[in-house]
Amino acid sequence: MTLALLLVIYCIFISLGLPDSFLGSSFPAISTSMGMDSDAGGYIAMVVSIFTILSSLLSSFFLRRMKVGLYIFGNIALTACALLLYSFIPQNYGWIFYLLAIPLGFGAGGIDAAINNYVALHYKAVHMNWLHCSWGIGALTSPLLLGAFIDSKTGEGWQLGVQVLSYLQFGILLLTFLTLPLWEKVAKKKEKKEEEKEEAIASSPKENIKKLFKTPLFYFSCIGFFCYCGLETTTGFWAPSFFFYARECDASLAATLGSCFYIGIACGRFLSGLISFKISPKNLIRIGEVLLLCGSILALLSTNYLVSAIGIILVGLGCAPIYPSIILLTPYRFSKKLSQDAMSLQMGIAYMGNLALSPLFGLMANSLGDAFYLLPLIPLLFGTLMFLVHEGTNFLTKKRDSSLSFEEKKQYETSAINKK
């Protein structure tokens, strides 16, 4: 029963990845067929990010009042309906893209915050990595599917591709609906763990947030989240435009090559799950950061689209273990009691990285004459900053642990991590 729920959770994270990459992978074609500016996709992504932030910040409020399964079902329904409606937008009605970005963002934020905390508390590191590998599979599916439907000359066909994506999303929505009773049965089976969770939820959210804001560790962690999500979203969103404008690929090939980033993430997270038995989350983050920086340099220096694609894959491989590992470390960094509130706030700040970096890069590239060749600078610069911040976070947690009593240390222990 527990395994069955885990498989459902994996499918839900595939559904989270499907809409995350569709706009970036199809926007060169959308801008061509709909007569929109090349940087308009960044502004649409900004609206998505605003409502993802709002949803993330409100998730702990809703989860105190709703069953987690029902809450997740409602959020998947929002993203599925938004995707379907995107496929019917007529020409010269580009403003509808912005309108539909609202349910798309709100649904994504709720799913992300709710499931990440649940898995961080109750499952091992391998499951967190494979959970985000499932997101990578969903994010990888969109550019591959859309690339198959888009006409390389006219840019038409993206509507049918998005429609197929929405059908996949509705299929996962149906699966979630059929398995809603499973969440309650598994909750009863894990009564001991759920009691701990309820105890954490019962504490005052205002009190929890005050405690978090007084901790320097919280700010370090948030900067790390901001840098990671900003560089991941910017790289994933603009990679097709990078290949289209800077490496002179046609719209169909550019959409397909946009999947390189998500191939790296999906494969990397599967491998991270396997090696997580031997390597701690802290060291997985370090390995990821090195790969990310090497891939950025390769993609920046090479003018050959195939070599650049290898560089983008390396950036994806480097990104792979970072986000799941930061999520896993949340209960350890802030205690199990504060983890849901910390998760919600971190997610909100993380999506501010999406909100700021992706549209700003699009604006900058457009103002410099479609200078999307600058894209690899984003993971290079923010990856370097992230490395410094994570090492600072490790120093602070080590210092804190040395001053804790045996009883206090129990508040920070989870079965998911090795704190080396």
Coordinates of all heavy atoms in Angstrom, one line a residue, residues 22-107:
F22 N 6.7 23.2 -21.1 CA 6.0 23.4 -22.4 C 6.1 24.8 -23.0 O 6.3 24.9 -24.2 CB 4.5 23.0 -22.3 CG 3.6 24.1 -22.2 CD1 3.1 24.7 -23.4 CD2 3.2 24.7 -21.0 CE1 2.2 25.8 -23.4 CE2 2.3 25.8 -21.0 CZ 1.8 26.3 -22.2
L23 N 6.1 25.8 -22.2 CA 6.1 27.2 -22.7 C 7.5 27.5 -23.3 O 7.5 28.1 -24.4 CB 5.7 28.2 -21.6 CG 5.4 29.6 -22.0 CD1 4.2 29.6 -23.0 CD2 5.1 30.4 -20.8
G24 N 8.5 27.2 -22.6 CA 9.9 27.5 -23.1 C 10.2 26.7 -24.4 O 10.7 27.3 -25.3
S25 N 9.8 25.4 -24.4 CA 10.2 24.6 -25.6 C 9.4 25.0 -26.8 O 9.9 24.8 -27.9 CB 10.0 23.1 -25.2 OG 8.6 22.9 -24.9
S26 N 8.2 25.5 -26.6 CA 7.3 25.8 -27.8 C 7.3 27.3 -28.1 O 6.8 27.7 -29.2 CB 5.9 25.4 -27.5 OG 5.4 26.0 -26.4
F27 N 8.0 28.2 -27.3 CA 7.8 29.6 -27.5 C 8.4 30.1 -28.8 O 7.8 31.0 -29.4 CB 8.2 30.4 -26.3 CG 7.5 31.7 -26.3 CD1 6.2 31.8 -25.8 CD2 8.1 32.9 -26.8 CE1 5.4 33.0 -25.9 CE2 7.3 34.1 -26.8 CZ 6.0 34.1 -26.3
P28 N 9.6 29.6 -29.3 CA 10.0 30.1 -30.6 C 9.0 29.8 -31.7 O 8.7 30.7 -32.5 CB 11.3 29.2 -30.8 CG 11.8 28.9 -29.5 CD 10.6 28.7 -28.6
A29 N 8.2 28.7 -31.6 CA 7.2 28.4 -32.6 C 6.0 29.3 -32.3 O 5.3 29.8 -33.2 CB 6.8 26.9 -32.5
I30 N 5.6 29.5 -31.0 CA 4.5 30.3 -30.6 C 4.7 31.7 -31.1 O 3.8 32.3 -31.7 CB 4.2 30.2 -29.1 CG1 3.7 28.9 -28.7 CG2 3.2 31.3 -28.7 CD1 3.7 28.7 -27.2
S31 N 5.9 32.3 -30.9 CA 6.1 33.7 -31.2 C 6.1 33.8 -32.8 O 5.6 34.9 -33.3 CB 7.5 34.1 -30.7 OG 8.5 33.3 -31.2
T32 N 6.5 32.8 -33.5 CA 6.4 32.8 -35.0 C 5.0 32.8 -35.5 O 4.6 33.6 -36.3 CB 7.3 31.7 -35.6 OG1 8.6 31.8 -35.1 CG2 7.2 31.7 -37.1
S33 N 4.2 31.8 -35.0 CA 2.9 31.6 -35.5 C 1.9 32.6 -35.0 O 0.9 32.9 -35.6 CB 2.4 30.2 -35.2 OG 2.2 30.0 -33.8
M34 N 2.1 33.2 -33.7 CA 1.2 34.1 -33.1 C 1.6 35.6 -33.3 O 0.9 36.4 -32.8 CB 1.0 33.8 -31.6 CG 0.5 32.3 -31.4 SD -1.2 32.1 -31.6 CE -1.9 32.9 -30.2
G35 N 2.8 35.8 -33.8 CA 3.2 37.2 -34.0 C 3.6 37.9 -32.7 O 3.3 39.1 -32.6
M36 N 4.2 37.1 -31.8 CA 4.5 37.7 -30.5 C 6.0 38.0 -30.4 O 6.8 37.4 -31.1 CB 4.1 36.8 -29.3 CG 2.6 36.5 -29.3 SD 2.1 35.2 -28.1 CE 2.4 36.1 -26.5
D37 N 6.5 38.9 -29.6 CA 7.9 39.2 -29.4 C 8.6 38.0 -28.8 O 8.0 37.2 -28.0 CB 8.1 40.4 -28.5 CG 7.6 41.7 -29.1 OD1 7.5 41.7 -30.3 OD2 7.3 42.7 -28.4
S38 N 9.9 37.9 -29.1 CA 10.7 36.7 -28.7 C 10.8 36.6 -27.2 O 11.0 35.6 -26.6 CB 12.1 36.7 -29.3 OG 12.8 37.9 -29.0
D39 N 10.7 37.8 -26.5 CA 10.9 37.8 -25.0 C 9.6 37.8 -24.3 O 9.5 37.8 -23.0 CB 11.7 39.1 -24.6 CG 10.9 40.4 -24.9 OD1 10.1 40.4 -25.8 OD2 11.2 41.4 -24.3
A40 N 8.4 37.7 -25.0 CA 7.1 37.7 -24.3 C 6.9 36.4 -23.4 O 6.3 36.5 -22.4 CB 6.0 37.7 -25.4
G41 N 7.6 35.3 -23.8 CA 7.5 34.1 -23.0 C 8.0 34.3 -21.6 O 7.5 33.7 -20.7
G42 N 9.0 35.2 -21.5 CA 9.6 35.5 -20.2 C 8.6 36.2 -19.3 O 8.5 35.9 -18.1
Y43 N 7.7 37.1 -19.9 CA 6.7 37.8 -19.1 C 5.6 36.8 -18.7 O 5.0 37.0 -17.6 CB 6.2 39.0 -19.9 CG 7.3 39.9 -20.2 CD1 7.5 40.3 -21.6 CD2 8.2 40.4 -19.3 CE1 8.5 41.2 -21.9 CE2 9.2 41.3 -19.6 CZ 9.4 41.7 -21.0 OH 10.4 42.5 -21.3
I44 N 5.2 35.9 -19.6 CA 4.2 34.9 -19.2 C 4.7 34.0 -18.1 O 4.0 33.7 -17.2 CB 3.9 34.1 -20.5 CG1 3.3 34.9 -21.6 CG2 2.9 33.0 -20.1 CD1 3.2 34.3 -23.0
A45 N 6.0 33.6 -18.2 CA 6.6 32.8 -17.1 C 6.6 33.6 -15.8 O 6.5 33.0 -14.7 CB 8.0 32.4 -17.5
M46 N 6.7 34.9 -15.9 CA 6.7 35.8 -14.7 C 5.4 35.7 -14.0 O 5.3 35.6 -12.8 CB 7.0 37.2 -15.1 CG 7.1 38.2 -13.9 SD 7.2 39.9 -14.4 CE 8.9 40.0 -15.0
V47 N 4.3 35.7 -14.8 CA 3.0 35.6 -14.2 C 2.8 34.2 -13.5 O 2.3 34.0 -12.4 CB 1.9 35.8 -15.2 CG1 0.5 35.6 -14.6 CG2 2.0 37.2 -15.9
V48 N 3.3 33.1 -14.2 CA 3.3 31.8 -13.7 C 4.0 31.8 -12.3 O 3.5 31.2 -11.3 CB 3.9 30.8 -14.6 CG1 4.0 29.4 -14.0 CG2 3.1 30.6 -15.9
S49 N 5.2 32.4 -12.3 CA 6.0 32.4 -11.1 C 5.3 33.2 -9.9 O 5.4 32.7 -8.8 CB 7.4 33.0 -11.4 OG 8.1 32.2 -12.3
I50 N 4.7 34.3 -10.2 CA 4.0 35.1 -9.2 C 3.0 34.2 -8.5 O 2.9 34.2 -7.2 CB 3.3 36.3 -9.8 CG1 4.4 37.3 -10.2 CG2 2.4 37.0 -8.8 CD1 3.9 38.5 -11.0
F51 N 2.2 33.5 -9.3 CA 1.1 32.7 -8.7 C 1.6 31.4 -8.1 O 1.0 30.8 -7.2 CB 0.0 32.5 -9.6 CG -0.9 33.7 -9.8 CD1 -0.6 34.7 -10.8 CD2 -1.9 34.0 -8.9 CE1 -1.3 35.8 -10.9 CE2 -2.7 35.1 -9.0 CZ -2.4 36.1 -10.0
T52 N 2.8 30.9 -8.6 CA 3.4 29.8 -7.9 C 3.9 30.2 -6.5 O 3.8 29.4 -5.6 CB 4.6 29.3 -8.8 OG1 4.1 28.9 -10.1 CG2 5.2 28.0 -8.2
I53 N 4.5 31.4 -6.4 CA 5.0 31.9 -5.1 C 3.8 32.0 -4.2 O 3.9 31.5 -3.0 CB 5.6 33.3 -5.3 CG1 7.0 33.1 -6.1 CG2 5.9 33.9 -4.0 CD1 7.5 34.4 -6.6
L54 N 2.7 32.6 -4.6 CA 1.5 32.8 -3.8 C 1.0 31.4 -3.3 O 0.7 31.3 -2.1 CB 0.4 33.5 -4.6 CG -0.9 33.8 -3.9 CD1 -0.6 34.7 -2.7 CD2 -1.9 34.5 -4.8
S55 N 0.9 30.5 -4.2 CA 0.4 29.1 -3.9 C 1.3 28.5 -2.9 O 0.9 27.8 -1.9 CB 0.3 28.3 -5.1 OG -0.2 27.0 -4.8
S56 N 2.7 28.6 -3.1 CA 3.6 28.0 -2.1 C 3.5 28.6 -0.7 O 3.5 27.8 0.2 CB 5.0 28.2 -2.6 OG 5.2 27.6 -3.9
L57 N 3.3 29.9 -0.7 CA 3.2 30.5 0.6 C 1.9 30.2 1.3 O 1.8 30.1 2.6 CB 3.3 32.1 0.5 CG 4.7 32.6 0.0 CD1 4.6 34.1 -0.3 CD2 5.8 32.3 1.0
L58 N 0.9 29.9 0.5 CA -0.5 29.6 1.1 C -0.6 28.1 1.4 O -1.6 27.7 2.0 CB -1.6 30.0 0.2 CG -1.8 31.5 0.1 CD1 -2.8 31.8 -1.0 CD2 -2.2 32.1 1.4
S59 N 0.3 27.3 0.9 CA 0.1 25.8 1.0 C 0.0 25.3 2.4 O -0.8 24.4 2.7 CB 1.3 25.1 0.3 OG 2.5 25.4 0.9
S60 N 0.8 25.8 3.3 CA 0.7 25.3 4.7 C -0.6 25.7 5.3 O -1.2 25.0 6.1 CB 1.9 25.9 5.6 OG 1.9 27.3 5.5
F61 N -1.2 26.9 4.9 CA -2.5 27.3 5.4 C -3.6 26.3 4.9 O -4.4 25.8 5.7 CB -2.8 28.7 4.8 CG -4.2 29.1 5.0 CD1 -4.6 29.7 6.3 CD2 -5.2 29.0 4.0 CE1 -6.0 30.1 6.4 CE2 -6.5 29.4 4.2 CZ -6.9 30.0 5.4
F62 N -3.5 25.9 3.6 CA -4.5 25.0 3.1 C -4.3 23.6 3.7 O -5.3 22.9 4.0 CB -4.4 24.9 1.6 CG -5.0 26.1 0.9 CD1 -4.2 27.0 0.1 CD2 -6.4 26.4 1.0 CE1 -4.7 28.1 -0.5 CE2 -6.9 27.6 0.4 CZ -6.1 28.4 -0.4
L63 N -3.1 23.2 3.9 CA -2.8 21.8 4.4 C -3.2 21.6 5.8 O -3.4 20.5 6.3 CB -1.3 21.4 4.2 CG -0.9 21.2 2.7 CD1 0.6 21.1 2.6 CD2 -1.5 19.9 2.2
R64 N -3.4 22.7 6.5 CA -3.9 22.6 7.9 C -5.4 22.4 7.9 O -6.0 22.0 8.9 CB -3.5 23.9 8.7 CG -2.1 24.0 9.1 CD -1.8 25.2 9.9 NE -0.5 25.2 10.5 CZ 0.6 25.8 9.9 NH1 0.4 26.4 8.7 NH2 1.8 25.7 10.4
R65 N -6.0 22.7 6.8 CA -7.5 22.6 6.7 C -8.0 21.6 5.7 O -9.2 21.3 5.7 CB -8.0 24.0 6.3 CG -7.8 25.0 7.4 CD -7.9 26.5 6.9 NE -7.7 27.4 8.0 CZ -6.5 27.7 8.5 NH1 -5.4 27.2 8.1 NH2 -6.5 28.6 9.5
M66 N -7.2 21.0 4.9 CA -7.6 20.0 3.9 C -6.7 18.7 4.0 O -5.6 18.8 4.4 CB -7.4 20.6 2.5 CG -8.3 21.7 2.2 SD -8.0 22.4 0.5 CE -8.5 21.0 -0.5
K67 N -7.3 17.6 3.5 CA -6.6 16.4 3.4 C -5.6 16.6 2.2 O -5.9 17.1 1.2 CB -7.5 15.2 3.1 CG -8.3 14.9 4.3 CD -9.3 13.8 4.1 CE -10.1 13.5 5.3 NZ -11.2 12.4 5.0
V68 N -4.4 16.1 2.4 CA -3.3 16.3 1.4 C -3.7 15.8 0.0 O -3.4 16.4 -1.0 CB -2.0 15.8 1.9 CG1 -2.0 14.3 2.0 CG2 -0.8 16.2 1.0
G69 N -4.3 14.6 0.0 CA -4.7 14.0 -1.3 C -5.7 14.9 -2.1 O -5.5 15.1 -3.3
L70 N -6.7 15.4 -1.4 CA -7.7 16.3 -2.0 C -7.0 17.6 -2.5 O -7.4 18.1 -3.6 CB -8.8 16.5 -1.1 CG -10.1 17.2 -1.6 CD1 -10.7 16.3 -2.7 CD2 -11.1 17.4 -0.5
Y71 N -6.1 18.1 -1.7 CA -5.5 19.4 -2.0 C -4.6 19.2 -3.3 O -4.7 20.1 -4.2 CB -4.6 19.8 -0.9 CG -3.8 21.0 -1.1 CD1 -4.4 22.3 -1.2 CD2 -2.4 21.0 -1.2 CE1 -3.6 23.4 -1.4 CE2 -1.6 22.1 -1.4 CZ -2.2 23.3 -1.5 OH -1.5 24.5 -1.7
I72 N -3.9 18.1 -3.4 CA -3.1 17.8 -4.6 C -4.0 17.6 -5.8 O -3.7 18.1 -6.9 CB -2.2 16.6 -4.3 CG1 -1.1 17.0 -3.3 CG2 -1.5 16.1 -5.6 CD1 -0.3 15.9 -2.7
F73 N -5.1 16.9 -5.6 CA -6.0 16.7 -6.7 C -6.5 18.0 -7.3 O -6.5 18.2 -8.6 CB -7.2 15.8 -6.3 CG -8.3 15.7 -7.3 CD1 -8.2 14.8 -8.3 CD2 -9.4 16.5 -7.2 CE1 -9.2 14.7 -9.3 CE2 -10.4 16.4 -8.1 CZ -10.3 15.4 -9.2
G74 N -6.9 18.9 -6.5 CA -7.4 20.2 -6.9 C -6.3 21.0 -7.7 O -6.6 21.6 -8.7
N75 N -5.1 20.9 -7.3 CA -4.0 21.6 -8.0 C -3.7 21.0 -9.3 O -3.4 21.7 -10.3 CB -2.8 21.7 -7.1 CG -2.9 22.7 -6.0 OD1 -3.0 23.9 -6.2 ND2 -3.0 22.3 -4.7
I76 N -3.7 19.7 -9.4 CA -3.5 19.0 -10.7 C -4.6 19.4 -11.7 O -4.4 19.7 -12.9 CB -3.4 17.5 -10.6 CG1 -2.2 17.1 -9.7 CG2 -3.3 16.8 -12.0 CD1 -2.2 15.6 -9.4
A77 N -5.8 19.5 -11.2 CA -7.0 19.9 -12.0 C -6.7 21.3 -12.6 O -7.0 21.6 -13.8 CB -8.3 19.9 -11.2
L78 N -6.2 22.2 -11.8 CA -5.9 23.6 -12.3 C -4.9 23.6 -13.5 O -5.1 24.2 -14.5 CB -5.4 24.4 -11.2 CG -6.3 24.9 -10.1 CD1 -5.6 25.7 -9.0 CD2 -7.4 25.9 -10.7
T79 N -3.8 22.8 -13.3 CA -2.8 22.8 -14.4 C -3.3 22.1 -15.6 O -3.0 22.5 -16.8 CB -1.5 22.1 -13.9 OG1 -1.8 20.7 -13.5 CG2 -0.9 22.8 -12.7
A80 N -4.1 21.0 -15.5 CA -4.7 20.3 -16.6 C -5.6 21.1 -17.4 O -5.5 21.2 -18.7 CB -5.4 19.0 -16.1
C81 N -6.5 21.8 -16.8 CA -7.4 22.7 -17.5 C -6.7 23.9 -18.2 O -7.1 24.2 -19.3 CB -8.5 23.3 -16.5 SG -9.6 22.0 -15.8
A82 N -5.7 24.4 -17.5 CA -4.9 25.5 -18.1 C -4.2 25.1 -19.4 O -4.3 25.8 -20.4 CB -3.9 26.1 -17.1
L83 N -3.6 23.9 -19.4 CA -2.9 23.4 -20.5 C -3.9 23.2 -21.7 O -3.6 23.5 -22.8 CB -2.3 22.0 -20.2 CG -0.8 22.1 -19.6 CD1 -0.4 20.7 -19.3 CD2 0.1 22.8 -20.6
L84 N -5.1 22.6 -21.4 CA -6.1 22.3 -22.4 C -6.5 23.6 -23.1 O -6.6 23.7 -24.3 CB -7.3 21.6 -21.9 CG -8.3 21.2 -22.9 CD1 -7.8 20.3 -23.9 CD2 -9.5 20.5 -22.2
L85 N -6.8 24.6 -22.3 CA -7.2 25.9 -22.8 C -6.2 26.7 -23.6 O -6.5 27.4 -24.6 CB -7.7 26.8 -21.6 CG -9.0 26.3 -21.0 CD1 -9.3 27.1 -19.7 CD2 -10.2 26.4 -21.9
Y86 N -4.9 26.5 -23.2 CA -3.8 27.0 -24.0 C -3.8 26.6 -25.5 O -3.5 27.4 -26.4 CB -2.4 26.6 -23.4 CG -1.8 27.6 -22.5 CD1 -1.5 27.2 -21.2 CD2 -1.6 28.9 -22.8 CE1 -1.0 28.1 -20.2 CE2 -1.0 29.8 -21.9 CZ -0.7 29.4 -20.6 OH -0.2 30.3 -19.7
S87 N -4.2 25.3 -25.7 CA -4.2 24.8 -27.1 C -5.3 25.4 -28.0 O -5.3 25.2 -29.2 CB -4.4 23.3 -27.0 OG -5.7 22.9 -26.6
F88 N -6.3 26.1 -27.4 CA -7.4 26.7 -28.1 C -7.2 28.2 -28.3 O -8.2 28.9 -28.8 CB -8.7 26.4 -27.5 CG -9.0 24.9 -27.6 CD1 -9.0 24.1 -26.5 CD2 -9.4 24.3 -28.8 CE1 -9.3 22.8 -26.5 CE2 -9.7 23.0 -28.9 CZ -9.6 22.2 -27.7
I89 N -6.1 28.8 -27.9 CA -6.0 30.3 -28.0 C -5.9 30.7 -29.5 O -5.0 30.2 -30.2 CB -4.7 30.8 -27.3 CG1 -4.9 30.5 -25.8 CG2 -4.5 32.3 -27.5 CD1 -3.6 30.9 -24.9
P90 N -6.8 31.5 -30.0 CA -6.7 32.0 -31.4 C -5.6 33.0 -31.6 O -5.1 33.6 -30.7 CB -8.1 32.6 -31.6 CG -8.6 33.0 -30.3 CD -7.9 32.1 -29.3
Q91 N -5.2 33.2 -32.9 CA -4.2 34.2 -33.2 C -4.7 35.6 -32.9 O -5.9 35.9 -32.9 CB -3.9 34.1 -34.7 CG -2.6 34.7 -35.1 CD -2.2 34.4 -36.5 OE1 -3.0 33.9 -37.3 NE2 -0.9 34.6 -36.9
N92 N -3.7 36.4 -32.5 CA -4.0 37.8 -32.1 C -4.7 37.9 -30.7 O -5.2 39.0 -30.4 CB -4.8 38.6 -33.1 CG -4.1 38.6 -34.5 OD1 -2.9 38.8 -34.6 ND2 -4.9 38.5 -35.6
Y93 N -4.7 36.8 -29.9 CA -5.2 36.9 -28.6 C -4.2 36.4 -27.6 O -4.4 35.7 -26.7 CB -6.5 36.0 -28.5 CG -7.7 36.6 -29.1 CD1 -8.0 36.4 -30.5 CD2 -8.6 37.3 -28.3 CE1 -9.1 37.0 -31.0 CE2 -9.8 37.8 -28.9 CZ -10.0 37.7 -30.3 OH -11.1 38.2 -30.8
G94 N -3.0 37.0 -27.8 CA -1.8 36.6 -26.9 C -2.0 36.9 -25.4 O -1.4 36.3 -24.6
W95 N -2.9 37.9 -25.1 CA -3.2 38.2 -23.7 C -3.7 37.0 -22.9 O -3.6 37.0 -21.7 CB -4.1 39.4 -23.6 CG -5.5 39.2 -24.3 CD1 -5.8 39.5 -25.6 CD2 -6.6 38.7 -23.7 NE1 -7.1 39.2 -25.8 CE2 -7.6 38.7 -24.7 CE3 -7.0 38.2 -22.4 CZ2 -8.9 38.2 -24.4 CZ3 -8.2 37.7 -22.2 CH2 -9.2 37.7 -23.2
I96 N -4.4 36.1 -23.6 CA -4.9 34.9 -22.9 C -3.8 34.0 -22.3 O -4.0 33.4 -21.3 CB -5.8 34.1 -23.9 CG1 -7.0 34.9 -24.4 CG2 -6.4 32.8 -23.2 CD1 -7.9 34.3 -25.4
F97 N -2.6 34.1 -22.9 CA -1.5 33.3 -22.4 C -1.2 33.8 -20.9 O -1.0 33.0 -20.0 CB -0.2 33.6 -23.2 CG -0.1 32.7 -24.4 CD1 -0.7 33.2 -25.6 CD2 0.5 31.5 -24.4 CE1 -0.6 32.4 -26.8 CE2 0.5 30.7 -25.5 CZ 0.0 31.1 -26.7
Y98 N -1.3 35.1 -20.7 CA -1.1 35.7 -19.3 C -2.2 35.2 -18.4 O -1.9 34.9 -17.2 CB -1.0 37.2 -19.4 CG 0.2 37.7 -20.2 CD1 0.0 37.9 -21.6 CD2 1.4 37.9 -19.6 CE1 1.1 38.4 -22.3 CE2 2.5 38.4 -20.4 CZ 2.3 38.6 -21.7 OH 3.4 39.0 -22.5
L99 N -3.4 35.2 -18.9 CA -4.6 34.9 -18.0 C -4.5 33.4 -17.6 O -4.7 33.1 -16.4 CB -5.9 35.1 -18.8 CG -7.2 35.0 -18.0 CD1 -7.2 36.1 -17.0 CD2 -8.4 35.1 -19.0
L100 N -4.1 32.5 -18.5 CA -4.1 31.1 -18.2 C -2.8 30.8 -17.3 O -2.7 29.7 -16.7 CB -4.1 30.3 -19.4 CG -5.4 30.3 -20.2 CD1 -5.3 29.4 -21.5 CD2 -6.5 29.8 -19.4
A101 N -1.9 31.7 -17.3 CA -0.7 31.5 -16.5 C -1.1 31.5 -15.0 O -0.3 30.9 -14.2 CB 0.3 32.6 -16.7
I102 N -2.2 32.0 -14.6 CA -2.6 32.1 -13.2 C -2.9 30.7 -12.6 O -2.3 30.3 -11.7 CB -3.8 33.1 -13.0 CG1 -3.4 34.5 -13.4 CG2 -4.4 33.0 -11.6 CD1 -4.6 35.5 -13.5
P103 N -3.9 29.9 -13.2 CA -4.1 28.6 -12.7 C -2.9 27.7 -12.9 O -2.7 26.8 -12.1 CB -5.3 28.1 -13.5 CG -5.3 28.9 -14.7 CD -4.8 30.2 -14.3
L104 N -2.1 27.9 -13.9 CA -0.9 27.0 -14.2 C 0.1 27.2 -13.0 O 0.6 26.2 -12.5 CB -0.3 27.4 -15.5 CG 0.7 26.4 -16.1 CD1 0.0 25.1 -16.5 CD2 1.4 27.0 -17.3
G105 N 0.3 28.4 -12.6 CA 1.3 28.7 -11.5 C 0.7 28.3 -10.2 O 1.4 27.7 -9.4
F106 N -0.5 28.6 -9.9 CA -1.1 28.3 -8.6 C -1.1 26.8 -8.4 O -0.8 26.3 -7.3 CB -2.6 28.8 -8.6 CG -3.0 29.1 -7.2 CD1 -2.8 30.3 -6.5 CD2 -3.6 28.1 -6.4 CE1 -3.2 30.5 -5.2 CE2 -4.1 28.3 -5.1 CZ -3.8 29.5 -4.5
G107 N -1.5 26.0 -9.4 CA -1.5 24.6 -9.3 C -0.1 24.0 -9.0 O 0.0 23.1 -8.2

